[in-house]
Amino acid sequence: MTDGEETLDLGAAPVAVVALLASLAGWALLAALERFGVRRARAVWTGVAVAVLTVSFLPLTGDGMDTATRTALALMHLAVAAVLIPGLAGRPRAHS
């Protein structure tokens, strides 16, 4: 990724860590919504997840990146969301 005059190389490890942190935050939010009895917790969570995905594209609209970089970053965001959103929203509810 290019930031003005400076080039930043992102390896697989930082990308995986950020994806893991996003997954854990999403899971924690869904668990909290279900724990506190929010009606339609999964629908609320899905709406929040889609909103967060949308906001995650905002930095890609700024200067300092070429089209290939923007495309690669957008595809990484979409790949994580494509697994995380259906995976957590559709997971079986824990019975208590």
Side-chain angles (χ1 to χ4, degrees), residues 25-27 29-31 33 40-50 84-86 88-89:
W27 171 77
L29 175 61
L30 180 56
L33 290 170
R40 298 176 32 99
R42 290 173 191 265
V44 169
W45 182 86
T46 301
V48 170
V50 170
L84 184 62
I85 293 173
L88 285 178

Side-chain angles (χ1 to χ4, degrees), residues 23 77-89:
S23 301
H77 286 223
L78 289 171
V80 171
V83 172
L84 184 62
I85 293 173
L88 285 178

Side-chain angles (χ1 to χ4, degrees):
M1 173 170 36
T2 304
D3 182 17
E5 298 293 321
E6 189 176 323
T7 299
L8 176 63
D9 291 323
L10 294 177
V15 171
V17 168
V18 170
L20 176 63
L21 292 175
S23 301
L24 291 173
W27 171 77
L29 175 61
L30 180 56
L33 290 170
E34 290 177 343
R35 171 80 171 113
F36 293 110
V38 173
R39 285 184 42 135
R40 298 176 32 99
R42 290 173 191 265
V44 169
W45 182 86
T46 301
V48 170
V50 170
V52 168
L53 174 62
T54 302
V55 169
S56 78
F57 288 116
L58 289 178
L60 304 181
T61 63
D63 293 334
M65 286 183 262
D66 61 17
T67 302
T69 300
R70 289 178 210 279
T71 303
L73 289 172
L75 289 173
M76 284 192 280
H77 286 223
L78 289 171
V80 171
V83 172
L84 184 62
I85 293 173
L88 285 178
R91 71 178 175 80
R93 182 178 242 155
H95 298 288
S96 34

